[in-house]
Amino acid sequence: MFQLLRCVPRVLGTAVAGLRAAAPSLPRLQPASRPCARPFGLLSVRARSVQLPGLLKPRGPCACGCGCSGLHTEGDKAFVDFLSDEIKEEKKIQKYKSLPKMSGGWELEVNGTEAKLVRKVAGEKITVTFNINNSIPPAFGGEEEEPSQGQKAEEQEPELTSTPNFVVEVTKDGSSKALVLDCHYPEDEIGQEDDQSDIFSIKEVSFQATGESDWKDTNYTLNTDSLDWGLYDHLMDFLADRGVDNTFADELVELSTALEHQEYISFLEDLKGFVKSK
């Protein structure tokens, strides 16, 4: 019985092979082509297109005829000419070609727009730090005065003065704390000639850990707006005994104004070079 079952596949295979040999060869079916559902124009720019989209057009030489491939317009040329004249005028009125020195043995360190004054006295280190950015008060004024006879309009322009906020840090040898006093120039005191009044004020006082660049907001800060006048006067005397007085404040204004003007001219020169670069 098992021998008969084994012979069945062989017999069927022989029969099928015979039928294939006798039947005519049929052509092989080819798969039907499907049209593309996404137009090629959305995938790439055709090589033979007459017009290209504006963003894909090759950049030609600039309009001024210098032959450069970068963006260079007549407006840029006028901008560069204006900056050249502005730089010349600013250098003409520049009061200090080099930064003025502070009296009292202060050592100056400048890092861009930030300046630091350091003085050491009898086991104490006094550090004054300020930044000239946004240090020129806005010009509040009413009606503009007409120039007087024989005086040019530009001669009546007020001289710009830099009055930055500054921070005084007092540290003692062997102490882990520094007394920090945040000071500023009140607008109503700027330009006053009264020797009795202080030309700067203390806004806040706090203790901070020495050697840390970032001061903690969790440390108590004393605001002087509601401070007893007796305590405030002693704080001002404390600063004056360490060289931070009206004379220092006047010299700091001169130094800050010179540094601000120097940085402004450098900014104009960098701006001119940036606009002019190809």
Side-chain angles (χ1 to χ4, degrees):
M1 183 67 179
F2 287 107
Q3 293 180 354
L4 292 176
L5 292 176
R6 289 178 180 178
C7 295
V8 170
R10 294 181 181 180
V11 174
L12 291 176
T14 305
V16 171
L19 291 174
R20 287 180 178 178
S25 60
L26 297 175
R28 181 175 298 179
L29 296 177
Q30 299 292 335
S33 60
R34 292 189 299 174
C36 180
R38 185 175 297 173
F40 288 101
L42 298 179
L43 301 178
S44 62
V45 179
R46 297 181 181 179
R48 296 183 180 181
S49 297
V50 177
Q51 296 182 349
L52 295 176
L55 294 177
L56 299 178
K57 288 183 179 180
R59 192 182 299 278
C62 67
C64 71
C66 69
C68 68
S69 59
L71 183 60
H72 191 39
T73 66
E74 291 294 334
D76 291 347
K77 184 177 182 300
F79 194 7
V80 170
D81 293 340
F82 171 82
L83 290 172
S84 298
D85 295 338
E86 187 74 7
I87 292 170
K88 290 179 182 179
E89 293 299 322
E90 291 296 330
K91 288 184 176 181
K92 284 182 182 180
I93 64 175
Q94 189 175 11
K95 187 176 180 180
Y96 296 101
K97 302 303 179 183
S98 59
L99 296 178
K101 294 183 179 181
M102 300 281 293
S103 62
W106 294 93
E107 298 180 1
L108 175 63
E109 301 175 10
V110 178
N111 181 19
T113 60
E114 184 176 272
K116 181 185 295 185
L117 295 165
V118 181
R119 182 172 184 253
K120 295 181 180 180
V121 180
E124 292 186 359
K125 180 181 179 182
I126 302 96
T127 304
V128 179
T129 307
F130 65 93
N131 195 308
I132 55 95
N133 282 334
N134 303 316
S135 62
I136 297 181
F140 297 107
E143 298 179 358
E144 296 183 357
E145 297 181 0
E146 295 182 359
S148 59
Q149 293 181 356
Q151 188 176 18
K152 296 180 180 179
E154 56 268 18
E155 293 178 355
Q156 283 197 337
E157 293 181 358
E159 182 180 354
L160 298 179
T161 303
S162 172
T163 55
N165 298 340
F166 60 94
V167 176
V168 182
E169 181 180 354
V170 182
T171 59
K172 294 179 179 290
D173 293 344
S175 176
S176 60
K177 293 182 178 180
L179 181 63
V180 179
L181 303 99
D182 190 359
C183 305
H184 73 119
Y185 292 91
E187 294 182 1
D188 55 351
E189 297 292 340
I190 298 174
Q192 298 290 334
E193 300 295 337
D194 186 6
D195 295 335
Q196 301 298 324
S197 62
D198 297 315
I199 63 175
F200 73 97
S201 301
I202 302 174
K203 291 196 302 181
E204 295 178 346
V205 185
S206 65
F207 278 106
Q208 300 292 340
T210 58
E212 293 185 3
S213 57
D214 296 330
W215 292 334
K216 296 180 179 179
D217 294 335
T218 55
N219 292 353
Y220 178 77
T221 300
L222 177 64
N223 193 303
T224 60
D225 290 341
S226 58
L227 189 64
D228 178 78
W229 280 107
L231 178 56
Y232 181 84
D233 288 340
H234 279 295
L235 288 172
M236 292 295 292
D237 292 340
F238 177 85
L239 290 179
D241 292 340
R242 286 152 182 81
V244 182
D245 51 11
N246 278 353
T247 300
F248 172 87
D250 278 331
E251 294 181 357
L252 181 61
V253 170
E254 289 290 324
L255 173 61
S256 179
T257 301
L259 178 59
E260 196 281 335
H261 199 190
Q262 176 180 291
E263 289 296 316
Y264 175 65
I265 293 175
S266 298
F267 173 80
L268 293 179
E269 291 174 340
D270 291 342
L271 182 59
K272 173 187 172 182
F274 182 82
V275 176
K276 190 178 179 180
S277 62
K278 302 176 182 179

